[in-house]
Amino acid sequence: MTALPPSAARNLAVRLLCGHGFVMRAGNERGDTLYLARAGEAWLVRVSNHARTALQRARRRDILTSLVIREPRTPAQVEALVAAAMRDFDAERRRRADQPSAEPSRK
């Protein structure tokens, strides 16, 4: 199976997430980071070519997980990354639901 370039692999990841009920919410100016949420929710999953810094994680508490693709990946690898990101997203969402005032404000 042929590996996809990183940008194509990220695009595939976004399409797969959209197929699981996520919708695009925002992106950065460079176009290398996209934020998706399930319809009607404020929690986000981030798809990017770079990890977040500690300061970025502290400022954006509404991002429950990041899916980082910076190297070529096969479609099967992307599917596995998306499945793992969705598991992490759902687990963190459940964990935060148990905390008072955990829901981020909607902008």
Side-chain angles (χ1 to χ4, degrees):
M1 194 176 284
T2 303
L4 301 170
S7 60
R10 285 190 303 275
N11 289 338
L12 175 57
V14 168
R15 287 193 309 274
L16 292 170
L17 286 165
C18 289
H20 288 284
F22 286 85
V23 294
M24 187 77 63
R25 285 287 173 88
N28 69 2
E29 291 178 7
R30 293 183 308 270
D32 60 2
T33 301
L34 301 171
Y35 301 90
L36 296 94
R38 287 194 175 120
E41 290 189 4
W43 299 115
L44 300 171
V45 61
R46 176 180 174 269
V47 178
S48 185
N49 68 350
H50 60 280
R52 296 188 295 157
T53 65
L55 182 60
Q56 289 169 322
R57 283 190 301 276
R59 285 184 181 161
R60 293 295 309 264
R61 303 288 300 158
D62 56 339
I63 299 171
L64 299 188
T65 193
S66 289
L67 196 165
V68 177
I69 300 175
R70 59 178 79 126
E71 297 175 359
R73 301 283 183 201
T74 66
Q77 289 172 321
V78 174
E79 288 175 11
L81 290 170
V82 167
M86 288 180 13
R87 280 191 306 270
D88 292 347
F89 180 90
D90 289 336
E92 183 64 14
R93 193 167 135 248
R94 283 189 303 272
R95 186 186 74 77
R96 292 194 190 188
D98 294 337
Q99 299 174 357
S101 303
E103 181 74 18
S105 62
R106 294 175 194 229
K107 296 178 183 178

